[in-house]
Amino acid sequence: MLPFTRPTLDDEEFAAIKEVLQSGWLATGPKVAAFEAALADYIGGDVQLRVFNSGTSALEAVLLAYGIGPGDEVIVPAMSFVASANIIVRCGATPKFVDVDLVSRNIDATKVAAAITPNTKAIIPVHFAGRAVDMDPIYQLAKQHNLLVLEDAAQAIGTQYQGRQIGSSGNPVCFSFHPNKNMTTIEGGALAINDPILLKKIDGIRFHGIEKDEQGDIDVSAWGGKMNMPDVGAALGLVQLKKLDGFNQKRRALAQRYLQQLPTHDALVLPTDVEGHSWHMFCILLDWKKIGLNRNQALELLKQQSIAVGTHYPAIHLFSLYRQYGYKSGDFPHAERIGEQTLTLPLFPGMKEGDVDRVCSAIVSLLNQV
Ligand SMILES: Cc1ncc(COP(=O)(O)O)c(C=O)c1O
């Protein structure tokens, strides 16, 4: 079975983990410090890096440190992984969804302005599938309305925007290292930021609120959670980070092969390539009505050919939790269409060109059902 994703690990990763296991220090320690330094180096710009036990924790820590809470509204795309919106609910704030563009799958900046109210405190753009959001118009709006911009770059480690690494701007940007991401620490995440005041609060939120003074004495003056990354994950991350650009080059080449081989067809919407795309996922849209199949039938036909695909993602506003905020079918047509029509084709560095060709033939045969 060809999976839609698989982490790329070899003896170097296994040895790095074994070394930590044998060292006697498994929790946050020297490997985390080294990984944070290596990530800061990789991202570039004038930023500080903090790693977390998940991308979700990193995102939550920023909203909490910023004081987002009840009565506040936070703008987020209606199509993303649900964590992008759950973190808003976690803080007691209200998610305000905005539709996404059908091709880039990213938040439609032209629709963000209309969603801003006097209660809006933040915008969370998501760099979907490794494609950078066009950030300039978002930052302009944020400046006009004095809003926090928290970039959800969970899917975008190694993505570049205008020739610079995502995360290097100094604004808060969070990454995920979940095993299906372009590099992994098993579970894990990171925050890149250049804001010493916010960072001090975030350090407390990350680890029990504990503050240490120069003598090493500790105090707790505000609540903190438990969001730290263990050294085992960081040791894995150090090895994966060295290989990340190579992984992403491979992803780009495979994505380009998909784009060359998949046909133009009125039942098919393909993603497009842009400079700096890290191709975390390759998601197509298939118009099931035109093809004369439903998605489950298509998944079954692909399974019979030993091809597993994903469905990233259902529209968030249609989940029961978010319907409670008054959202309903028809609110965000692109997000809903993506939710119904999307298929994530296999894409990971260990894939061969022949695997791409095989998947393309299978998609062509689905289209030929017409
Ligand atoms: C867009 C987006 N945001 C947030 C997350 C959460 O990251 P994690 O799984 O590391 O908590 C993910 C993970 O898939 C994601 O895709």
Side-chain angles (χ1 to χ4, degrees), residues 54-57 59 80-81 83-84 126 152 154-155 176-178 180-181 187-189 313:
S54 72
T56 307
S57 298
L59 289 160
S80 175
F81 182 52
S84 304
V126 178
D152 180 345
Q155 304 182 1
S176 164
F177 305 126
H178 176 275
N180 75 10
K181 298 300 188 290
E187 295 287 357
Y313 294 96

Side-chain angles (χ1 to χ4, degrees), residues 147 169-170 175 271 293 337:
L147 306 175
S169 70
F175 302 97
L293 282 177
R337 180 168 163 196

Side-chain angles (χ1 to χ4, degrees), residues 190-365:
L191 161 69
I193 194 172
N194 178 3
D195 182 336
I197 297 170
L198 213 58
L199 196 57
K200 190 157 184 281
K201 288 190 190 160
I202 287 166
D203 283 341
I205 289 167
R206 182 171 66 158
F207 198 69
H208 307 293
I210 292 174
E211 300 159 44
K212 246 188 206 168
D213 68 15
E214 274 157 22
Q215 283 76 49
D217 292 330
I218 66 164
D219 187 26
V220 176
S221 59
W223 171 89
K226 177 77 166 84
M227 304 179 173
N228 55 308
M229 176 184 278
D231 260 19
V232 179
L236 179 54
L238 276 164
V239 179
Q240 290 265 290
L241 183 61
K242 279 197 301 181
K243 302 178 178 178
L244 176 64
D245 285 344
F247 290 161
N248 286 354
Q249 264 168 29
K250 189 78 200 291
R251 286 175 176 276
R252 285 186 63 79
L254 294 166
Q256 271 154 12
R257 193 169 181 91
Y258 269 128
L259 290 171
Q260 281 154 11
Q261 302 222 357
L262 288 167
T264 306
H265 192 290
D266 70 349
L268 174 67
V269 178
L270 292 174
T272 55
D273 196 13
V274 289
E275 197 67 29
H277 199 322
S278 65
W279 287 104
H280 168 55
M281 294 189 289
F282 191 95
C283 303
I284 62 171
L285 302 184
L286 285 169
D287 187 330
W288 306 117
K289 276 201 196 102
K290 281 189 186 150
I291 296 174
L293 282 177
N294 65 38
R295 186 161 55 192
N296 285 342
Q297 291 168 324
L299 293 181
E300 189 49 43
L301 285 172
L302 292 170
K303 199 168 143 198
Q304 283 166 15
Q305 295 171 72
S306 302
I307 297 170
V309 292
T311 52
H312 300 87
Y313 294 96
I316 303 176
H317 65 287
L318 298 182
F319 288 132
S320 328
L321 170 63
Y322 294 98
R323 283 179 187 266
Q324 289 173 31
Y325 291 85
Y327 291 106
K328 57 187 184 319
S329 261
D331 285 347
F332 304 108
H334 289 167
E336 290 168 30
R337 180 168 163 196
I338 293 166
E340 285 160 16
Q341 299 189 347
T342 192
L343 280 190
T344 308
L345 304 187
L347 179 61
F348 53 92
M351 261 174 85
K352 306 271 177 294
E353 290 183 344
D355 295 324
V356 173
D357 300 351
R358 193 161 78 75
V359 176
C360 290
S361 308
I363 298 298
V364 168
S365 62

Side-chain angles (χ1 to χ4, degrees), residues 6-283:
R6 183 192 289 143
T8 310
L9 306 169
D10 65 24
D11 288 347
E12 205 182 346
E13 279 86 351
F14 305 147
I17 289 181
K18 191 172 169 194
E19 182 201 319
V20 177
L21 293 177
Q22 288 173 331
S23 75
W25 190 271
L26 277 56
T28 304
K31 294 292 180 190
V32 162
F35 184 40
E36 287 180 337
L39 268 174
D41 223 41
Y42 178 79
I43 301 281
D46 190 12
V47 294
Q48 303 249 45
L49 257 294
R50 291 293 186 272
V51 294
F52 289 79
N53 57 5
S54 72
T56 307
S57 298
L59 289 160
E60 269 178 22
V62 176
L63 290 187
L64 290 169
Y66 203 80
I68 305 279
D72 297 336
E73 293 174 0
V74 179
I75 293 174
V76 68
M79 195 285 303
S80 175
F81 182 52
V82 69
S84 304
N86 283 349
I87 54 166
I88 302 167
V89 176
R90 158 77 179 91
C91 299
T94 304
K96 292 295 274 190
F97 293 108
V98 168
D99 211 354
V100 295
D101 179 80
L102 208 54
V103 175
S104 73
R105 318 279 155 89
N106 281 335
I107 195 164
D108 188 339
T110 61
K111 294 186 178 138
V112 171
I116 296 174
T117 75
N119 295 326
T120 307
K121 287 286 166 4
I123 308 174
I124 305 182
V126 178
H127 302 289
F128 186 80
R131 178 179 173 140
V133 173
D134 185 10
M135 291 306 301
D136 283 348
I138 308 254
Y139 277 113
Q140 258 166 33
L141 273 175
K143 204 168 162 198
Q144 275 163 24
H145 297 270
N146 193 25
L147 306 175
L148 166 74
V149 177
L150 167 56
E151 295 181 38
D152 180 345
Q155 304 182 1
I157 184 79
T159 295
Q160 298 192 351
Y161 176 61
Q162 297 178 341
R164 296 176 59 198
Q165 286 291 339
I166 289 282
S168 61
S169 70
N171 298 294
V173 179
C174 294
F175 302 97
S176 164
F177 305 126
H178 176 275
N180 75 10
K181 298 300 188 290
N182 290 20
M183 60 167 277
T184 188
T185 59
I186 309 178
E187 295 287 357
L191 161 69
I193 194 172
N194 178 3
D195 182 336
I197 297 170
L198 213 58
L199 196 57
K200 190 157 184 281
K201 288 190 190 160
I202 287 166
D203 283 341
I205 289 167
R206 182 171 66 158
F207 198 69
H208 307 293
I210 292 174
E211 300 159 44
K212 246 188 206 168
D213 68 15
E214 274 157 22
Q215 283 76 49
D217 292 330
I218 66 164
D219 187 26
V220 176
S221 59
W223 171 89
K226 177 77 166 84
M227 304 179 173
N228 55 308
M229 176 184 278
D231 260 19
V232 179
L236 179 54
L238 276 164
V239 179
Q240 290 265 290
L241 183 61
K242 279 197 301 181
K243 302 178 178 178
L244 176 64
D245 285 344
F247 290 161
N248 286 354
Q249 264 168 29
K250 189 78 200 291
R251 286 175 176 276
R252 285 186 63 79
L254 294 166
Q256 271 154 12
R257 193 169 181 91
Y258 269 128
L259 290 171
Q260 281 154 11
Q261 302 222 357
L262 288 167
T264 306
H265 192 290
D266 70 349
L268 174 67
V269 178
L270 292 174
T272 55
D273 196 13
V274 289
E275 197 67 29
H277 199 322
S278 65
W279 287 104
H280 168 55
M281 294 189 289
F282 191 95
C283 303

